[in-house]
Amino acid sequence: MPGSSHIPPTSGTCDFPPAFCICCSFFGGICLAETLPWRRFSSLPSPFLTSQAVGNPGPSSGRGVLRPIRPDDLWHGGDFGLSDAEMSYAASFVGLAAVLACAVSCLSDKFGRARVLTWTLVPYTLATACTAISQGIVTFAFFQFLAQAFITAEGIISHVMVLEEMPADSRGWAIGALNTGSACGVGLALLLFGISNGAWRLMYALSILPLLGVGYVRRALPETRRWASLKDTSLSADTHDPGGLQLPAVNIGSPGGDFLGLHHEHEERSSSSPSKCHKQLEQVKQQHVAILATTFLGSLFPSSANFNVSKHIQVVHGFGATGYAKLSFIGGFLSLSAFALAGYFGDRYGRKKLGILGILLKTLVDVAFYSVAAGAESVSLIVILFCIRVALGMALDTNFQALSGEVFPTERRTSAQGILVLIGGLGGPLGLLFSTRLVPYVGTTAAAARLLACGQLICAVILCLWLPETRGRELEEINS
């Protein structure tokens, strides 16, 4: 790729063994900063690490360590006297928060990552506080719509900041650690919810306290060097400044050597032949379309298998609600290492290879999970398959979050991530609709889930043919 020879490696290879990743991932949710390999995360500012340890949201998995209970955690309707249909409508409305989150995250491409990340904290905190005193389902759903929109936007921007500031050989590990903290936060919040005997209003009220602390920490959060450099270049172009790329004097980011070759890379690209530039442009557009298609199809095909897990275990295999809750806790806890391991192996062996292997395994496990016949002898097998499903889902989330952020240029990175969240949110409901329409033809919901799950293989084909390998490559090289 043009200019690749001018981009030096950020630092040495990521030398943290899998055993270290596993240990770190288990304790990451209590304090995310303690899970991070400090030598690798020294490129991130301490205000960012501290604020993410308390309030980091993941764009796909949920909330931070001390986040409020989500609507789907308490959709029993006890306080509001709701029917199943009314709860479904309310949950659907809250789900539309992804639209607003996409719009908010797009602002960070124009105004800066750190600035918009700080802006989102105020409306999120206010919406959370108002949720605690909501008197009906209308106000509850409205305030939760706002809260989830802004915290989803925080998740998108947070992941982009990590991708832009971490060394090329450990970006996947960083995303995995961030997701570990978010997943542990979900478990901690649900644990507190159970201890409080379902006092969800108290949970929403208490969640305001750490958020106020996050605001204090983020007051000193600087911009990422890549975004600041991009804006500096734009200003230089507007004033016809013939000088090269000037980096702002900020104490953040990868070592300055990461950007020493950008000016030379720009000169080399400008002197390229028109045909070569056209070929590069086609390749960039191709990888963008490919990741959009993979995100949509990767949400559509497994949606039925994911949605029906609870009913399949509780009803078909007779676990009941209590048994499923225990299985979810055990499976989730044992699978936490998947986040860190996926990031580690993606950095070491390649996200493309890991993604293809993960999709193949996930398809096989989904088909096997819905093929196990009910009976006492199948309990152990269904528990094992459930835990593997959870682990593979976590691993694929981490792998594709890193890959989807790497294949877009800096000037459109958060906007693209917001669009991907929207596309993924659209694929899920469509997959459930297809599954419902398939049931009369295949006989059972399990059969429809198995059939749709096989469609995930299309994602593996797209990943194999049209997406680049990003392991160890600088973001500028991937998008050159």
Side-chain angles (χ1 to χ4, degrees):
M1 301 295 290
S4 59
S5 60
H6 297 291
I7 302 177
T10 308
S11 56
T13 58
C14 187
D15 54 1
F16 289 89
F20 180 81
C21 300
I22 295 173
C23 294
C24 284
S25 65
F26 279 121
F27 296 101
I30 305 303
C31 182
L32 180 59
E34 293 181 3
T35 73
L36 309 182
W38 287 109
R39 185 169 63 85
R40 289 289 168 214
F41 281 82
S42 60
S43 58
L44 290 174
S46 56
F48 178 79
L49 294 178
T50 306
S51 65
Q52 294 310 99
V54 177
N56 165 64
S60 66
S61 58
R63 306 290 172 254
V65 172
L66 293 175
R67 57 97 169 160
I69 298 299
R70 297 177 298 175
D72 50 309
D73 297 333
L74 49 88
W75 271 150
H76 49 74
D79 285 0
F80 301 129
L82 304 180
S83 65
D84 289 344
E86 289 171 329
M87 287 190 289
S88 177
Y89 288 137
S92 299
F93 173 74
V94 174
L96 294 175
V99 178
L100 180 58
C102 176
V104 173
S105 62
C106 290
L107 296 176
S108 71
D109 282 334
K110 181 177 182 180
F111 298 104
R113 321 296 195 215
R115 182 180 298 178
V116 178
L117 188 67
T118 303
W119 289 349
T120 59
L121 196 60
V122 175
Y124 172 60
T125 303
L126 292 177
T128 301
C130 292
T131 302
I133 59 174
S134 58
Q135 299 301 311
I137 188 57
V138 175
T139 53
F140 179 88
F142 173 73
F143 290 129
Q144 272 300 283
F145 170 85
L146 294 178
Q148 294 206 37
F150 284 104
I151 201 168
T152 300
E154 283 206 12
I156 295 171
I157 299 171
S158 298
H159 280 73
V160 168
M161 292 183 72
V162 169
L163 287 174
E164 291 183 345
E165 290 304 312
M166 283 301 296
D169 62 357
S170 54
R171 287 193 296 258
W173 159 265
I175 294 297
L178 212 58
N179 287 341
T180 299
S182 294
C184 289
V186 174
L188 178 58
L190 290 175
L191 178 62
L192 294 176
F193 180 65
I195 293 175
S196 65
N197 196 26
W200 61 269
R201 293 183 187 274
L202 176 63
M203 290 296 298
Y204 278 113
L206 290 178
S207 67
I208 300 173
L209 300 178
L211 292 174
L212 295 176
V214 171
Y216 176 79
V217 172
R218 284 186 184 171
R219 76 193 192 283
L221 184 64
E223 296 294 346
T224 67
R225 284 174 64 90
R226 278 187 165 90
W227 184 87
S229 301
L230 178 69
K231 290 305 172 183
D232 185 74
T233 305
S234 300
L235 291 175
S236 298
D238 291 340
T239 57
H240 304 286
D241 184 2
L245 183 64
Q246 300 293 325
L247 293 179
V250 293
N251 297 322
I252 175 180
S254 307
D258 295 352
F259 300 92
L260 291 178
L262 295 183
H263 180 55
H264 301 291
E265 180 183 356
H266 173 72
E267 291 179 342
E268 183 175 341
R269 285 204 302 266
S270 63
S271 62
S272 300
S273 63
S275 60
K276 192 173 182 179
C277 291
H278 180 69
K279 183 178 180 180
Q280 295 167 2
L281 183 61
E282 286 182 344
Q283 182 178 359
V284 170
K285 289 182 178 179
Q286 175 179 286
Q287 68 188 34
H288 296 166
V289 174
I291 197 65
L292 291 171
T294 303
T295 300
F296 176 75
L297 297 178
S299 175
L300 185 148
F301 288 121
S303 61
S304 179
N306 296 335
F307 182 79
N308 291 293
V309 165
S310 173
K311 180 180 178 181
H312 191 71
I313 290 180
Q314 293 183 56
V315 179
V316 176
H317 292 279
F319 277 63
T322 302
Y324 176 70
K326 293 178 180 178
L327 180 60
S328 298
F329 177 80
I330 295 173
F333 182 77
L334 293 178
S335 303
L336 276 178
S337 57
F339 284 128
L341 285 175
Y344 173 82
F345 286 121
D347 290 330
R348 186 177 180 88
Y349 300 108
R351 285 180 249 293
K352 190 171 181 176
K353 296 177 183 177
L354 190 67
I356 294 173
L357 178 61
I359 292 172
L360 294 177
L361 291 176
K362 178 68 162 48
T363 302
L364 291 174
V365 172
D366 282 345
V367 173
F369 182 84
Y370 284 96
S371 300
V372 176
E377 65 280 358
S378 65
V379 172
S380 298
L381 180 58
I382 205 69
V383 169
I384 293 173
L385 290 174
F386 175 82
C387 293
I388 294 176
R389 284 192 81 255
V390 174
L392 287 173
M394 291 178 173
L396 287 172
D397 276 351
T398 297
N399 193 70
F400 280 98
Q401 283 170 11
L403 182 62
S404 63
E406 290 169 330
V407 298
F408 287 97
T410 300
E411 62 267 22
R412 294 190 297 272
R413 187 164 288 123
T414 52
S415 298
Q417 299 311 295
I419 294 173
L420 289 175
V421 169
L422 272 180
I423 291 177
L426 177 63
L430 287 179
L432 293 177
L433 177 62
F434 291 157
S435 176
T436 303
R437 296 299 178 91
L438 278 174
V439 171
Y441 299 98
V442 298
T444 63
T445 301
R450 287 197 302 268
L451 183 59
L452 279 178
C454 292
Q456 296 175 93
L457 298 176
I458 300 176
C459 299
V461 174
I462 296 174
L463 179 59
C464 178
L465 297 180
W466 293 297
L467 280 169
E469 179 54 69
T470 60
R471 174 182 64 93
R473 300 170 62 189
E474 296 294 341
L475 299 177
E476 292 74 24
E477 178 187 355
I478 298 170
N479 292 281
S480 62

